[in-house]
């Protein structure tokens, strides 16, 4: 399969920036929950492009939508209307708290837009100087200058200082910590309703509701980064639905177009008004090709019973992982919502990721010690059983 002298690894090292540490595997095909590498080995994919391919690889409905759109119209400027973009916005607002959508091309861009909107809204209403945003420790919001500055992990800041001004970090799951951090410069609170990169941390009961009440009291905007947790991942269309608290602004990306690059920022009418012609723009945002893919994706996720099955499969997966926890003492904690599941170990998880890979399953490790499982939402009990069997074998090698 290899068309490079010396193989793809060498060619990649020669020609591509060294920004990723990659596994020695090259994928050539995907279908549903499975991936095929260039040597013909099949893998069970419990990572799904890191919570991107929610409907699995090459879902027939999405592929058909892409094919049809590619034959009709791929791009025109946002100086004009296109039907898929407006239809998608109508769907997203129908299905969420929001009234308005701004489309972009990635998660970082969606958060950039949210940061700009929060500042502009506050500046319009209260004048300049009120631009601080309270964010969470161990959060992840992206790699552009503003979004890495908004990210509560010093490892992504290092070497890129000076950071964008105005981000303050407090502990996740503490309303008191947010309250203590509010000053007359604060304009918003930015939080992932379920932290992904930070080690799969879920909101304590009442946390987001109390946070919303605090934001109301202090005239702060509440921004939910649902880039990883949104679009069915946690068993509801958006994670916030399970918390009884909707935000003023929400960001989406990852699973939105099931693998095509797309991001979105959603907001209430009141807040969206702060953006006027010229406030913000992007050339590619919401183009007809990606919007068609997203419409097809959203249609499948909103079919009756789809999210119920995600919750059911997630509960079954958690119970099977719980069995492993009982048998292997180095497993400290299993936590999850829907099919966003983490298993915390008392040691670094990288070697288990490699062993699973050898045995034909893809997972990853985040925050050093937490194994992350974000399979396609179409996974069922048989995929869960295969995953657990492979993980068990990887764990047994440790016990020996
Ligand atoms: C992945 C992710 C981002 C960044 O998205 P990109 O598309 O990589 O820019 C931001 N926030 C959260 C919660 C994410 O999981």
């Amino acid at each position: 399969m290899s068309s490079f002298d010396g193989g793809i690894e060498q060619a990649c090292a020669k020609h591509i920036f060294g920004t990723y540490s990659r596994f020695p595997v090259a994928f050539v095909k995907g279908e549903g929950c499975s991936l095929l590498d260039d040597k013909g080995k099949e893998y069970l994919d419990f990572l799904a492009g890191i919570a991107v391919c929610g409907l699995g690889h090459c879902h027939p409905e999405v592929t058909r939508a892409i094919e049809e759109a590619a034959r009709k119209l791929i791009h025109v400027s946002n100086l004009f209307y296109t039907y898929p973009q407006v239809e998608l916005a109508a769907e997203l607002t129908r299905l969420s708290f929001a009234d308005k959508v701004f489309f972009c091309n990635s998660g970082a861009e969606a958060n950039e837009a949210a940061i700009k909107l929060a500042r502009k809204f506050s500046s319009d209403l209260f004048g300049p100087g009120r631009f601080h945003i309270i964010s969470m420790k161990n959060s992840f919001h992206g790699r552009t200058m503003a979004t890495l500055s908004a990210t509560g992990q010093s490892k992504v800041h290092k070497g890129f200082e000076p950071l964008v001004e105005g981000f303050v970090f407090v502990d996740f799951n503490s309303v008191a910590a947010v309250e203590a951090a509010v000053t007359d410069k604060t304009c918003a609170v930015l939080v992932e309703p379920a932290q992904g990169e930070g080690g799969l941390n879920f909101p304590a009961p009442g946390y987001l509701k109390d946070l919303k009440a605090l934001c109301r009291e202090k005239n702060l905007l509440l921004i939910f980064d649902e880039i990883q947790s949104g679009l069915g991942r946690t068993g509801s269309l958006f994670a916030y639905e399970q918390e009884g608290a909707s935000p003023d602004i929400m960001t989406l990306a990852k699973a939105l177009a099931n693998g095509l690059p797309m991001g979105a920022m959603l907001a209430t009418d009141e807040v969206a008004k702060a953006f006027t012609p010229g406030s913000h723009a992007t050339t590619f945002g919401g183009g007809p090709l990606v919007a068609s893919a997203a419409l097809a994706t959203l249609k499948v996720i909103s079919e009756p019973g789809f999210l119920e099955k995600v919750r059911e499969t997630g509960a079954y997966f958690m119970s099977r992982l719980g069995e492993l926890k009982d048998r292997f003492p180095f497993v400290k904690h299993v936590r999850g919502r829907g099919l966003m599941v983490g298993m915390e170990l008392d040691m670094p998880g990288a070697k288990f990721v490699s062993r699973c890979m050898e045995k034909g399953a893809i997972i990853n490790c985040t925050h050093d010690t937490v194994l992350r499982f974000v399979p396609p939402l179409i996974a069922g009990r048989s995929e869960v059983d295969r995953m657990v069997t492979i993980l068990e074998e990887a764990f047994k090698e440790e016990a020996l």
Side-chain angles (χ1 to χ4, degrees):
M1 197 25 126
S2 175
S3 49
F4 301 105
D5 296 337
I8 193 169
E9 281 176 61
Q10 248 188 334
C12 180
K14 185 167 176 214
H15 300 297
I16 295 187
F17 267 75
T19 52
Y20 305 104
S21 38
R22 300 184 204 251
F23 291 93
V25 182
F27 290 113
V28 294
K29 192 174 161 31
E31 190 183 343
C33 298
S34 93
L35 279 171
L36 205 64
D37 76 7
D38 59 355
K39 297 179 180 68
K41 180 174 167 184
E42 199 184 331
Y43 296 76
L44 175 67
D45 185 7
F46 260 49
L47 187 59
I50 315 191
V52 168
C53 303
L55 303 184
H57 297 282
C58 302
H59 189 282
E61 301 285 322
V62 181
T63 297
R64 183 168 2 120
I66 293 170
E67 282 173 351
E68 277 175 16
R71 281 193 199 95
K72 252 196 205 158
L73 183 66
I74 292 179
H75 176 80
V76 291
S77 165
N78 275 315
L79 296 171
F80 308 98
Y81 299 102
T82 51
Y83 280 90
Q85 179 179 123
V86 183
E87 282 168 27
L88 177 60
E91 269 306 278
L92 285 170
T93 52
R94 184 178 71 81
L95 294 165
S96 72
F97 75 96
D99 303 305
K100 293 273 198 296
V101 186
F102 175 87
F103 289 112
C104 51
N105 313 290
S106 69
E109 277 182 50
N111 284 333
E112 281 278 340
I115 292 162
K116 279 183 72 176
L117 182 62
R119 285 189 174 196
K120 181 71 165 44
F121 179 80
S122 185
S123 160
D124 288 355
L125 213 66
F126 302 98
R130 192 177 180 274
F131 63 90
H132 285 193
I133 295 177
I134 297 171
S135 178
M136 304 303 145
K137 291 178 188 166
N138 294 322
S139 58
F140 183 77
H141 299 297
R143 299 291 198 148
T144 61
M145 276 313 299
T147 59
L148 79 83
S149 301
T151 292
Q153 301 188 49
S154 52
K155 66 178 186 206
V156 312
H157 297 161
K158 217 167 166 274
F160 299 109
E161 298 87 353
L163 302 181
V164 173
E165 222 187 311
F167 294 98
V168 177
F169 301 103
V170 303
D171 285 331
F172 181 69
N173 263 335
S174 168
V175 181
V178 174
E179 185 160 18
V182 175
T183 69
D184 56 6
K185 286 186 172 169
T186 313
C187 70
V189 176
L190 169 61
V191 60
E192 296 156 85
Q195 284 190 336
E197 306 308 305
L200 286 291
N201 303 313
F202 298 91
Y207 170 59
L208 295 177
K209 219 172 162 175
D210 294 347
L211 204 51
K212 176 158 185 160
L214 179 72
C215 287
R216 284 286 164 276
E217 185 196 320
K218 309 271 185 193
N219 274 315
L220 309 174
L221 293 178
L222 183 58
I223 308 170
F224 286 170
D225 177 343
E226 290 237 23
I227 289 164
Q228 192 161 149
S229 61
L231 298 155
R233 178 52 55 193
T234 66
S236 50
L237 189 57
F238 304 109
Y240 75 76
E241 293 168 32
Q242 297 173 49
E243 307 301 323
S246 61
D248 301 293
I249 303 173
M250 172 171 75
T251 52
L252 301 175
K254 290 201 162 80
L256 186 51
N258 206 50
L260 290 194
M262 183 175 225
M265 171 184 65
L266 291 77
T268 59
D269 263 331
E270 187 199 352
V271 177
K273 274 189 197 123
F275 270 7
T276 52
S279 295
H280 200 50
T282 169
T283 298
F284 293 118
L289 182 77
V290 286
S292 300
L295 270 168
T297 304
L298 209 51
K299 187 157 174 271
V300 177
I301 297 177
S302 11
E303 273 166 12
F306 185 94
L307 292 170
E308 200 180 334
K309 183 169 171 264
V310 172
R311 292 192 292 273
E312 202 271 327
T313 307
Y316 176 68
F317 188 28
M318 294 268 289
S319 77
R320 296 285 336 259
L321 291 179
E323 290 166 20
L324 293 186
K325 177 179 177 287
D326 293 341
R327 287 178 42 207
F328 297 95
F330 52 84
V331 178
K332 275 171 68 182
H333 194 213
V334 175
R335 51 187 181 254
R337 299 270 163 90
L339 283 168
M340 185 171 179
V341 176
M343 181 182 243
E344 188 171 349
L345 310 177
D346 70 2
M347 62 177 121
K351 63 181 162 190
F352 297 106
V353 173
S354 298
R355 280 181 208 161
C356 284
M357 198 97 197
E358 284 159 24
K359 298 172 197 303
I362 300 162
I363 58 171
N364 92 332
C365 175
T366 183
H367 212 64
D368 193 38
T369 56
V370 183
L371 300 179
R372 167 167 48 187
F373 308 89
V374 282
L377 305 178
I378 54 166
R381 286 184 175 228
S382 68
E383 283 81 16
V384 164
D385 287 338
R386 268 167 64 205
M387 181 69 242
V388 171
T389 301
I390 289 172
L391 192 62
E392 181 184 352
E393 285 168 17
F395 281 175
K396 271 187 195 156
E397 285 180 21
E398 192 62 23
L400 287 174

